[in-house]
Amino acid sequence: MESNNRNDRQAGSGSGRPPRSIYERAGSDGAWLGLWFTAIFGLSVASMRVGLLNVVVLTMALLVPFIAYRFLRRTHVEAHGLLAYSALWMQGILTFAAGSLILCAAAFIFMRWIYPDFILDTLRLGVEFYSNESTGTGAELAEEFQTIIDRKLAPSPFTIAMVWMWLGLFSGSVLSMFLAAIVRLVKVPVDGGRS
């Protein structure tokens, strides 16, 4: 922990401004990532009506690792390559935690107050889609979804939002583990320029 703080102080030295800690960076980067996640969620909802938006959603989702890499790479370059692997990994974890928290809040607000029937409508779309499947598995899924609707067993907006938050946090921590290693492997320019 002490080495992380020392590395944080070294980051930004010579730039004329006080260094930013990995926690401050994770907070600001996480805010942007949270907006990105929220945009993906909003477009996913819209893609239920406009199927072409699925391409945009998939593209945005695939760009997440590259965005996270740029965040970590910028920090490492500004620290002149002196940040420890653990500090970069921690920044990645906290960035995804902040982003996932924003997504969780936005999704909960949307499903609770803006579109209260979102979960049921999604289940109904599932019933409609799988009912048209010619396979027995599709019919079984359609029947299960219909049972959930009929017995009022649909998960609450809070449950779904929390699942998405934990999924984002877990997948983000695993992704950050690999990204931090890649960032450490890529050579830092001697002049401290960004790459």
Side-chain angles (χ1 to χ4, degrees):
M1 187 68 164
E2 186 176 327
S3 65
N4 287 353
N5 290 336
R6 184 172 63 251
N7 289 334
D8 291 346
R9 288 193 295 272
Q10 290 168 342
S13 59
S15 63
R17 59 182 162 78
R20 296 171 62 203
S21 72
I22 61 168
Y23 308 104
E24 183 183 352
R25 290 174 186 274
S28 61
D29 293 344
W32 287 110
L33 195 59
L35 292 175
W36 188 263
F37 288 160
T38 302
I40 291 174
F41 170 70
L43 289 170
S44 297
V45 172
S47 71
M48 289 169 32
R49 304 266 185 241
V50 182
L52 190 60
L53 288 177
N54 283 315
V55 177
V56 179
V57 170
L58 181 60
T59 303
M60 290 179 72
L62 291 175
L63 285 174
V64 169
F66 298 100
I67 294 170
Y69 171 83
R70 293 299 293 176
F71 288 153
L72 296 180
R73 176 71 178 160
R74 181 187 62 210
T75 298
H76 193 55
V77 169
E78 289 179 2
H80 309 292
L82 299 174
L83 274 181
Y85 169 80
S86 59
L88 287 170
W89 187 15
M90 179 59 72
Q91 179 181 331
I93 292 172
L94 294 174
T95 299
F96 275 94
S100 298
L101 188 60
I102 291 171
L103 169 62
C104 175
F108 176 75
I109 290 168
F110 176 80
M111 292 184 289
R112 179 71 176 84
W113 290 292
I114 297 175
Y115 187 178
D117 290 332
F118 172 74
I119 298 168
L120 288 176
D121 285 350
T122 303
L123 288 169
R124 289 182 187 114
L125 280 174
V127 170
E128 183 182 334
F129 176 80
Y130 287 113
S131 294
N132 296 328
E133 290 277 314
S134 57
T135 63
T137 307
E140 286 178 16
L141 283 172
E143 187 178 333
E144 286 181 22
F145 286 165
Q146 190 60 55
T147 301
I148 290 171
I149 294 170
D150 294 342
R151 295 186 180 175
K152 302 187 186 322
L153 298 174
S156 69
F158 179 77
T159 301
I160 291 179
M162 289 302 295
V163 166
W164 287 343
M165 188 184 82
W166 286 115
L167 178 64
L169 181 55
F170 174 74
S171 60
S173 65
V174 173
L175 178 63
S176 297
M177 178 174 62
F178 293 107
L179 291 178
I182 294 170
V183 166
R184 293 269 302 163
L185 288 173
V186 178
K187 188 176 178 182
V188 175
V190 177
D191 62 357
R194 299 186 183 217
S195 61

Short mmCIF file of all heavy atoms in Angstrom, two decimals, residues 5-66:
data_model
loop_
_atom_site.label_atom_id
_atom_site.label_comp_id
_atom_site.label_asym_id
_atom_site.label_seq_id
_atom_site.Cartn_x
_atom_site.Cartn_y
_atom_site.Cartn_z
N ASN A 5 1.18 4.36 -2.79
CA ASN A 5 1.10 5.80 -2.52
C ASN A 5 2.33 6.53 -3.04
O ASN A 5 2.24 7.63 -3.56
CB ASN A 5 0.94 6.05 -1.02
CG ASN A 5 -0.42 5.62 -0.51
OD1 ASN A 5 -1.37 5.55 -1.28
ND2 ASN A 5 -0.50 5.29 0.76
N ARG A 6 3.51 5.89 -2.90
CA ARG A 6 4.73 6.51 -3.40
C ARG A 6 4.67 6.61 -4.92
O ARG A 6 5.02 7.63 -5.50
CB ARG A 6 5.95 5.68 -2.97
CG ARG A 6 7.26 6.33 -3.38
CD ARG A 6 8.47 5.61 -2.79
NE ARG A 6 8.56 4.23 -3.29
CZ ARG A 6 8.33 3.14 -2.58
NH1 ARG A 6 7.95 3.24 -1.32
NH2 ARG A 6 8.45 1.94 -3.11
N ASN A 7 4.18 5.55 -5.56
CA ASN A 7 4.05 5.58 -7.01
C ASN A 7 3.04 6.63 -7.44
O ASN A 7 3.20 7.27 -8.47
CB ASN A 7 3.64 4.20 -7.53
CG ASN A 7 4.76 3.18 -7.43
OD1 ASN A 7 5.93 3.56 -7.45
ND2 ASN A 7 4.41 1.91 -7.32
N ASP A 8 1.96 6.78 -6.67
CA ASP A 8 0.95 7.79 -6.98
C ASP A 8 1.56 9.18 -6.94
O ASP A 8 1.25 10.04 -7.75
CB ASP A 8 -0.23 7.74 -6.00
CG ASP A 8 -1.05 6.49 -6.18
OD1 ASP A 8 -0.88 5.82 -7.23
OD2 ASP A 8 -1.85 6.18 -5.28
N ARG A 9 2.43 9.43 -5.95
CA ARG A 9 3.05 10.75 -5.83
C ARG A 9 3.99 11.02 -7.00
O ARG A 9 4.12 12.15 -7.44
CB ARG A 9 3.80 10.86 -4.50
CG ARG A 9 2.91 10.96 -3.28
CD ARG A 9 3.71 11.38 -2.07
NE ARG A 9 4.69 10.39 -1.69
CZ ARG A 9 4.46 9.36 -0.88
NH1 ARG A 9 3.26 9.18 -0.37
NH2 ARG A 9 5.42 8.50 -0.56
N GLN A 10 4.62 9.94 -7.52
CA GLN A 10 5.54 10.12 -8.63
C GLN A 10 4.79 10.40 -9.92
O GLN A 10 5.31 11.03 -10.82
CB GLN A 10 6.41 8.87 -8.79
CG GLN A 10 7.40 8.71 -7.65
CD GLN A 10 8.05 7.33 -7.68
OE1 GLN A 10 7.55 6.40 -8.31
NE2 GLN A 10 9.17 7.22 -6.98
N ALA A 11 3.57 9.89 -10.03
CA ALA A 11 2.79 10.13 -11.24
C ALA A 11 2.46 11.61 -11.35
O ALA A 11 1.95 12.22 -10.44
CB ALA A 11 1.50 9.31 -11.19
N GLY A 12 2.79 12.17 -12.49
CA GLY A 12 2.49 13.57 -12.70
C GLY A 12 3.63 14.48 -12.31
O GLY A 12 3.55 15.68 -12.49
N SER A 13 4.73 13.93 -11.74
CA SER A 13 5.84 14.79 -11.38
C SER A 13 6.48 15.34 -12.63
O SER A 13 6.62 14.66 -13.62
CB SER A 13 6.87 14.00 -10.57
OG SER A 13 7.35 12.90 -11.32
N GLY A 14 6.83 16.59 -12.60
CA GLY A 14 7.41 17.26 -13.75
C GLY A 14 6.36 17.81 -14.71
O GLY A 14 6.70 18.37 -15.73
N SER A 15 5.11 17.65 -14.41
CA SER A 15 4.06 18.14 -15.31
C SER A 15 3.54 19.50 -14.87
O SER A 15 2.68 20.06 -15.54
CB SER A 15 2.91 17.13 -15.38
OG SER A 15 2.31 17.00 -14.11
N GLY A 16 4.03 20.02 -13.75
CA GLY A 16 3.59 21.33 -13.30
C GLY A 16 2.31 21.30 -12.50
O GLY A 16 1.79 22.32 -12.11
N ARG A 17 1.75 20.14 -12.27
CA ARG A 17 0.53 20.02 -11.49
C ARG A 17 0.71 18.89 -10.50
O ARG A 17 1.50 17.98 -10.73
CB ARG A 17 -0.68 19.78 -12.37
CG ARG A 17 -0.60 18.53 -13.21
CD ARG A 17 -1.83 18.42 -14.10
NE ARG A 17 -1.64 17.51 -15.19
CZ ARG A 17 -1.69 16.19 -15.11
NH1 ARG A 17 -1.91 15.62 -13.96
NH2 ARG A 17 -1.52 15.44 -16.17
N PRO A 18 -0.03 18.93 -9.40
CA PRO A 18 0.12 17.86 -8.41
C PRO A 18 -0.33 16.53 -8.99
O PRO A 18 -1.25 16.48 -9.80
CB PRO A 18 -0.79 18.30 -7.26
CG PRO A 18 -1.73 19.28 -7.85
CD PRO A 18 -1.01 19.93 -8.99
N PRO A 19 0.33 15.44 -8.60
CA PRO A 19 -0.05 14.12 -9.13
C PRO A 19 -1.44 13.71 -8.65
O PRO A 19 -1.87 14.10 -7.57
CB PRO A 19 1.03 13.19 -8.56
CG PRO A 19 1.53 13.90 -7.35
CD PRO A 19 1.42 15.37 -7.63
N ARG A 20 -2.11 12.96 -9.48
CA ARG A 20 -3.43 12.44 -9.13
C ARG A 20 -3.27 11.00 -8.66
O ARG A 20 -2.56 10.23 -9.27
CB ARG A 20 -4.35 12.48 -10.34
CG ARG A 20 -4.63 13.89 -10.83
CD ARG A 20 -5.36 13.88 -12.16
NE ARG A 20 -6.65 13.23 -12.03
CZ ARG A 20 -7.31 12.67 -13.05
NH1 ARG A 20 -6.78 12.66 -14.25
NH2 ARG A 20 -8.48 12.11 -12.85
N SER A 21 -3.94 10.66 -7.57
CA SER A 21 -3.86 9.30 -7.07
C SER A 21 -4.65 8.37 -7.97
O SER A 21 -5.51 8.81 -8.75
CB SER A 21 -4.40 9.23 -5.64
OG SER A 21 -5.82 9.38 -5.66
N ILE A 22 -4.39 7.07 -7.83
CA ILE A 22 -5.13 6.10 -8.64
C ILE A 22 -6.62 6.13 -8.28
O ILE A 22 -7.47 5.83 -9.11
CB ILE A 22 -4.56 4.68 -8.47
CG1 ILE A 22 -4.66 4.22 -7.02
CG2 ILE A 22 -3.16 4.58 -9.01
CD1 ILE A 22 -4.38 2.74 -6.82
N TYR A 23 -6.93 6.54 -7.06
CA TYR A 23 -8.33 6.59 -6.62
C TYR A 23 -9.06 7.75 -7.30
O TYR A 23 -10.21 7.62 -7.71
CB TYR A 23 -8.40 6.71 -5.10
CG TYR A 23 -7.58 5.64 -4.42
CD1 TYR A 23 -6.35 5.94 -3.85
CD2 TYR A 23 -8.01 4.32 -4.40
CE1 TYR A 23 -5.57 4.95 -3.25
CE2 TYR A 23 -7.25 3.32 -3.81
CZ TYR A 23 -6.03 3.64 -3.24
OH TYR A 23 -5.27 2.66 -2.66
N GLU A 24 -8.38 8.88 -7.41
CA GLU A 24 -8.98 10.03 -8.11
C GLU A 24 -9.16 9.72 -9.58
O GLU A 24 -10.19 10.03 -10.18
CB GLU A 24 -8.08 11.26 -7.93
CG GLU A 24 -8.66 12.52 -8.55
CD GLU A 24 -7.73 13.71 -8.42
OE1 GLU A 24 -6.70 13.61 -7.73
OE2 GLU A 24 -8.05 14.75 -9.04
N ARG A 25 -8.14 9.08 -10.17
CA ARG A 25 -8.23 8.71 -11.59
C ARG A 25 -9.35 7.71 -11.80
O ARG A 25 -10.11 7.81 -12.77
CB ARG A 25 -6.90 8.11 -12.05
CG ARG A 25 -5.76 9.09 -12.14
CD ARG A 25 -4.46 8.36 -12.46
NE ARG A 25 -3.34 9.26 -12.41
CZ ARG A 25 -2.94 10.01 -13.44
NH1 ARG A 25 -3.60 9.98 -14.56
NH2 ARG A 25 -1.90 10.80 -13.31
N ALA A 26 -9.45 6.71 -10.90
CA ALA A 26 -10.50 5.71 -11.03
C ALA A 26 -11.89 6.34 -10.92
O ALA A 26 -12.81 5.94 -11.62
CB ALA A 26 -10.33 4.63 -9.97
N GLY A 27 -12.02 7.34 -10.05
CA GLY A 27 -13.31 8.02 -9.91
C GLY A 27 -13.71 8.75 -11.18
O GLY A 27 -14.84 8.63 -11.65
N SER A 28 -12.77 9.54 -11.74
CA SER A 28 -13.11 10.30 -12.94
C SER A 28 -13.26 9.39 -14.16
O SER A 28 -14.19 9.55 -14.96
CB SER A 28 -12.05 11.39 -13.20
OG SER A 28 -10.78 10.82 -13.42
N ASP A 29 -12.35 8.40 -14.29
CA ASP A 29 -12.47 7.47 -15.42
C ASP A 29 -13.72 6.61 -15.28
O ASP A 29 -14.40 6.31 -16.26
CB ASP A 29 -11.24 6.56 -15.49
CG ASP A 29 -9.97 7.32 -15.85
OD1 ASP A 29 -10.07 8.46 -16.35
OD2 ASP A 29 -8.86 6.77 -15.64
N GLY A 30 -14.04 6.23 -14.03
CA GLY A 30 -15.24 5.43 -13.79
C GLY A 30 -16.52 6.18 -14.13
O GLY A 30 -17.49 5.57 -14.57
N ALA A 31 -16.50 7.50 -13.94
CA ALA A 31 -17.68 8.29 -14.31
C ALA A 31 -17.92 8.22 -15.81
O ALA A 31 -19.05 8.04 -16.27
CB ALA A 31 -17.50 9.74 -13.85
N TRP A 32 -16.82 8.36 -16.58
CA TRP A 32 -16.95 8.26 -18.04
C TRP A 32 -17.38 6.86 -18.46
O TRP A 32 -18.22 6.69 -19.34
CB TRP A 32 -15.64 8.65 -18.73
CG TRP A 32 -15.35 10.11 -18.66
CD1 TRP A 32 -14.39 10.74 -17.94
CD2 TRP A 32 -16.08 11.15 -19.34
NE1 TRP A 32 -14.46 12.10 -18.12
CE2 TRP A 32 -15.48 12.38 -18.98
CE3 TRP A 32 -17.17 11.16 -20.21
CZ2 TRP A 32 -15.94 13.60 -19.46
CZ3 TRP A 32 -17.62 12.38 -20.69
CH2 TRP A 32 -17.02 13.58 -20.31
N LEU A 33 -16.79 5.86 -17.82
CA LEU A 33 -17.14 4.48 -18.15
C LEU A 33 -18.60 4.20 -17.78
O LEU A 33 -19.30 3.49 -18.50
CB LEU A 33 -16.20 3.51 -17.41
CG LEU A 33 -16.19 2.07 -17.90
CD1 LEU A 33 -15.78 1.99 -19.37
CD2 LEU A 33 -15.26 1.24 -17.05
N GLY A 34 -19.06 4.77 -16.67
CA GLY A 34 -20.45 4.61 -16.28
C GLY A 34 -21.40 5.22 -17.30
O GLY A 34 -22.45 4.64 -17.60
N LEU A 35 -21.03 6.37 -17.86
CA LEU A 35 -21.84 6.97 -18.92
C LEU A 35 -21.85 6.08 -20.16
O LEU A 35 -22.87 5.94 -20.84
CB LEU A 35 -21.31 8.37 -19.27
CG LEU A 35 -21.49 9.43 -18.19
CD1 LEU A 35 -20.81 10.74 -18.60
CD2 LEU A 35 -22.97 9.67 -17.91
N TRP A 36 -20.70 5.47 -20.46
CA TRP A 36 -20.60 4.55 -21.60
C TRP A 36 -21.51 3.34 -21.37
O TRP A 36 -22.26 2.94 -22.26
CB TRP A 36 -19.14 4.12 -21.76
CG TRP A 36 -18.85 3.32 -23.00
CD1 TRP A 36 -18.77 1.96 -23.10
CD2 TRP A 36 -18.60 3.83 -24.32
NE1 TRP A 36 -18.48 1.59 -24.39
CE2 TRP A 36 -18.37 2.72 -25.16
CE3 TRP A 36 -18.54 5.11 -24.85
CZ2 TRP A 36 -18.08 2.85 -26.51
CZ3 TRP A 36 -18.25 5.23 -26.21
CH2 TRP A 36 -18.03 4.12 -27.02
N PHE A 37 -21.44 2.77 -20.15
CA PHE A 37 -22.31 1.63 -19.82
C PHE A 37 -23.79 2.01 -19.91
O PHE A 37 -24.62 1.23 -20.37
CB PHE A 37 -22.00 1.12 -18.40
CG PHE A 37 -20.71 0.39 -18.26
CD1 PHE A 37 -20.12 0.25 -17.01
CD2 PHE A 37 -20.06 -0.16 -19.35
CE1 PHE A 37 -18.92 -0.43 -16.85
CE2 PHE A 37 -18.85 -0.84 -19.21
CZ PHE A 37 -18.29 -0.97 -17.96
N THR A 38 -24.11 3.20 -19.43
CA THR A 38 -25.50 3.66 -19.45
C THR A 38 -25.98 3.83 -20.89
O THR A 38 -27.13 3.49 -21.22
CB THR A 38 -25.64 4.97 -18.67
OG1 THR A 38 -25.19 4.76 -17.32
CG2 THR A 38 -27.07 5.46 -18.64
N ALA A 39 -25.10 4.33 -21.76
CA ALA A 39 -25.45 4.47 -23.18
C ALA A 39 -25.69 3.09 -23.80
O ALA A 39 -26.64 2.90 -24.58
CB ALA A 39 -24.34 5.22 -23.92
N ILE A 40 -24.85 2.12 -23.45
CA ILE A 40 -25.04 0.75 -23.95
C ILE A 40 -26.39 0.21 -23.48
O ILE A 40 -27.14 -0.40 -24.25
CB ILE A 40 -23.89 -0.17 -23.49
CG1 ILE A 40 -22.57 0.22 -24.17
CG2 ILE A 40 -24.22 -1.64 -23.78
CD1 ILE A 40 -21.37 -0.55 -23.67
N PHE A 41 -26.70 0.44 -22.20
CA PHE A 41 -27.98 -0.02 -21.67
C PHE A 41 -29.15 0.64 -22.40
O PHE A 41 -30.11 -0.03 -22.80
CB PHE A 41 -28.06 0.26 -20.16
CG PHE A 41 -29.42 0.03 -19.58
CD1 PHE A 41 -29.92 -1.25 -19.44
CD2 PHE A 41 -30.21 1.09 -19.17
CE1 PHE A 41 -31.18 -1.47 -18.91
CE2 PHE A 41 -31.46 0.88 -18.63
CZ PHE A 41 -31.96 -0.41 -18.50
N GLY A 42 -29.07 1.96 -22.58
CA GLY A 42 -30.15 2.67 -23.27
C GLY A 42 -30.34 2.19 -24.70
O GLY A 42 -31.48 1.99 -25.15
N LEU A 43 -29.24 1.96 -25.40
CA LEU A 43 -29.33 1.47 -26.77
C LEU A 43 -29.83 0.03 -26.81
O LEU A 43 -30.53 -0.37 -27.75
CB LEU A 43 -27.98 1.58 -27.47
CG LEU A 43 -27.55 3.01 -27.80
CD1 LEU A 43 -26.10 3.05 -28.25
CD2 LEU A 43 -28.46 3.62 -28.87
N SER A 44 -29.50 -0.76 -25.78
CA SER A 44 -30.01 -2.14 -25.70
C SER A 44 -31.52 -2.14 -25.55
O SER A 44 -32.22 -2.95 -26.18
CB SER A 44 -29.39 -2.87 -24.50
OG SER A 44 -28.01 -2.98 -24.64
N VAL A 45 -32.02 -1.22 -24.74
CA VAL A 45 -33.48 -1.11 -24.58
C VAL A 45 -34.11 -0.70 -25.91
O VAL A 45 -35.11 -1.28 -26.34
CB VAL A 45 -33.82 -0.08 -23.48
CG1 VAL A 45 -35.32 0.18 -23.44
CG2 VAL A 45 -33.34 -0.58 -22.12
N ALA A 46 -33.51 0.28 -26.57
CA ALA A 46 -34.05 0.74 -27.86
C ALA A 46 -33.96 -0.34 -28.93
O ALA A 46 -34.79 -0.40 -29.84
CB ALA A 46 -33.31 2.00 -28.30
N SER A 47 -32.95 -1.23 -28.82
CA SER A 47 -32.77 -2.26 -29.84
C SER A 47 -33.89 -3.30 -29.81
O SER A 47 -34.06 -4.06 -30.75
CB SER A 47 -31.41 -2.96 -29.65
OG SER A 47 -31.42 -3.78 -28.50
N MET A 48 -34.68 -3.32 -28.73
CA MET A 48 -35.83 -4.21 -28.69
C MET A 48 -36.87 -3.77 -29.71
O MET A 48 -37.68 -4.58 -30.16
CB MET A 48 -36.43 -4.23 -27.27
CG MET A 48 -35.53 -4.95 -26.29
SD MET A 48 -35.94 -4.80 -24.53
CE MET A 48 -37.68 -4.67 -24.44
N ARG A 49 -36.84 -2.50 -30.07
CA ARG A 49 -37.76 -1.98 -31.10
C ARG A 49 -37.08 -1.82 -32.45
O ARG A 49 -37.70 -2.02 -33.49
CB ARG A 49 -38.30 -0.61 -30.65
CG ARG A 49 -38.97 -0.63 -29.29
CD ARG A 49 -40.45 -0.82 -29.41
NE ARG A 49 -41.10 -0.72 -28.13
CZ ARG A 49 -41.79 -1.70 -27.57
NH1 ARG A 49 -41.89 -2.84 -28.17
NH2 ARG A 49 -42.36 -1.53 -26.41
N VAL A 50 -35.79 -1.44 -32.42
CA VAL A 50 -35.02 -1.23 -33.65
C VAL A 50 -33.84 -2.20 -33.63
O VAL A 50 -32.83 -1.94 -32.97
CB VAL A 50 -34.51 0.23 -33.76
CG1 VAL A 50 -33.77 0.44 -35.06
CG2 VAL A 50 -35.65 1.22 -33.60
N GLY A 51 -33.98 -3.30 -34.33
CA GLY A 51 -33.00 -4.37 -34.27
C GLY A 51 -31.61 -3.97 -34.74
O GLY A 51 -30.61 -4.52 -34.27
N LEU A 52 -31.52 -2.99 -35.63
CA LEU A 52 -30.22 -2.57 -36.16
C LEU A 52 -29.31 -2.01 -35.07
O LEU A 52 -28.08 -2.05 -35.19
CB LEU A 52 -30.43 -1.51 -37.26
CG LEU A 52 -29.22 -1.12 -38.09
CD1 LEU A 52 -28.65 -2.33 -38.81
CD2 LEU A 52 -29.58 -0.04 -39.08
N LEU A 53 -29.90 -1.52 -34.00
CA LEU A 53 -29.10 -0.96 -32.90
C LEU A 53 -28.27 -2.02 -32.17
O LEU A 53 -27.33 -1.68 -31.46
CB LEU A 53 -30.01 -0.24 -31.89
CG LEU A 53 -30.61 1.09 -32.36
CD1 LEU A 53 -31.55 1.65 -31.31
CD2 LEU A 53 -29.50 2.09 -32.66
N ASN A 54 -28.60 -3.29 -32.38
CA ASN A 54 -27.81 -4.36 -31.77
C ASN A 54 -26.36 -4.32 -32.23
O ASN A 54 -25.45 -4.65 -31.47
CB ASN A 54 -28.41 -5.73 -32.09
CG ASN A 54 -29.63 -6.03 -31.23
OD1 ASN A 54 -29.63 -5.80 -30.04
ND2 ASN A 54 -30.68 -6.52 -31.86
N VAL A 55 -26.14 -3.90 -33.48
CA VAL A 55 -24.78 -3.77 -34.01
C VAL A 55 -24.03 -2.70 -33.24
O VAL A 55 -22.86 -2.87 -32.87
CB VAL A 55 -24.81 -3.45 -35.52
CG1 VAL A 55 -23.41 -3.23 -36.05
CG2 VAL A 55 -25.52 -4.55 -36.28
N VAL A 56 -24.70 -1.58 -32.98
CA VAL A 56 -24.08 -0.48 -32.22
C VAL A 56 -23.77 -0.93 -30.80
O VAL A 56 -22.69 -0.66 -30.26
CB VAL A 56 -25.00 0.77 -32.22
CG1 VAL A 56 -24.37 1.90 -31.42
CG2 VAL A 56 -25.30 1.21 -33.64
N VAL A 57 -24.72 -1.63 -30.18
CA VAL A 57 -24.54 -2.12 -28.81
C VAL A 57 -23.34 -3.06 -28.73
O VAL A 57 -22.48 -2.94 -27.85
CB VAL A 57 -25.82 -2.83 -28.31
CG1 VAL A 57 -25.57 -3.55 -27.00
CG2 VAL A 57 -26.95 -1.82 -28.15
N LEU A 58 -23.26 -3.99 -29.68
CA LEU A 58 -22.15 -4.94 -29.69
C LEU A 58 -20.82 -4.24 -29.90
O LEU A 58 -19.83 -4.54 -29.22
CB LEU A 58 -22.38 -5.99 -30.79
CG LEU A 58 -21.32 -7.08 -30.92
CD1 LEU A 58 -21.21 -7.88 -29.62
CD2 LEU A 58 -21.62 -7.99 -32.09
N THR A 59 -20.79 -3.27 -30.80
CA THR A 59 -19.56 -2.52 -31.06
C THR A 59 -19.13 -1.76 -29.82
O THR A 59 -17.94 -1.77 -29.44
CB THR A 59 -19.77 -1.53 -32.23
OG1 THR A 59 -20.19 -2.25 -33.38
CG2 THR A 59 -18.49 -0.78 -32.54
N MET A 60 -20.07 -1.09 -29.16
CA MET A 60 -19.73 -0.35 -27.94
C MET A 60 -19.23 -1.27 -26.84
O MET A 60 -18.31 -0.93 -26.10
CB MET A 60 -20.93 0.46 -27.47
CG MET A 60 -21.28 1.64 -28.37
SD MET A 60 -22.73 2.55 -27.79
CE MET A 60 -22.05 3.38 -26.34
N ALA A 61 -19.85 -2.45 -26.73
CA ALA A 61 -19.42 -3.41 -25.70
C ALA A 61 -18.00 -3.91 -25.99
O ALA A 61 -17.19 -4.06 -25.07
CB ALA A 61 -20.40 -4.57 -25.64
N LEU A 62 -17.69 -4.14 -27.26
CA LEU A 62 -16.36 -4.63 -27.62
C LEU A 62 -15.29 -3.56 -27.44
O LEU A 62 -14.10 -3.88 -27.32
CB LEU A 62 -16.36 -5.13 -29.07
CG LEU A 62 -17.15 -6.41 -29.33
CD1 LEU A 62 -17.19 -6.73 -30.81
CD2 LEU A 62 -16.57 -7.58 -28.54
N LEU A 63 -15.69 -2.30 -27.41
CA LEU A 63 -14.73 -1.21 -27.23
C LEU A 63 -14.34 -1.00 -25.75
O LEU A 63 -13.36 -0.33 -25.47
CB LEU A 63 -15.30 0.09 -27.79
CG LEU A 63 -15.30 0.22 -29.32
CD1 LEU A 63 -16.02 1.49 -29.74
CD2 LEU A 63 -13.88 0.20 -29.87
N VAL A 64 -15.10 -1.58 -24.84
CA VAL A 64 -14.83 -1.38 -23.40
C VAL A 64 -13.40 -1.75 -23.01
O VAL A 64 -12.73 -0.97 -22.32
CB VAL A 64 -15.86 -2.13 -22.54
CG1 VAL A 64 -15.45 -2.16 -21.07
CG2 VAL A 64 -17.24 -1.47 -22.68
N PRO A 65 -12.86 -2.91 -23.43
CA PRO A 65 -11.47 -3.21 -23.06
C PRO A 65 -10.47 -2.19 -23.57
O PRO A 65 -9.49 -1.87 -22.88
CB PRO A 65 -11.21 -4.59 -23.70
CG PRO A 65 -12.57 -5.18 -23.88
CD PRO A 65 -13.49 -4.04 -24.14
N PHE A 66 -10.70 -1.65 -24.76
CA PHE A 66 -9.78 -0.66 -25.32
C PHE A 66 -9.85 0.66 -24.55
O PHE A 66 -8.83 1.31 -24.33
CB PHE A 66 -10.08 -0.44 -26.81
CG PHE A 66 -9.89 -1.67 -27.64
CD1 PHE A 66 -10.98 -2.45 -28.00
CD2 PHE A 66 -8.63 -2.08 -28.04
CE1 PHE A 66 -10.82 -3.60 -28.75
CE2 PHE A 66 -8.45 -3.22 -28.79
CZ PHE A 66 -9.55 -4.00 -29.15
#
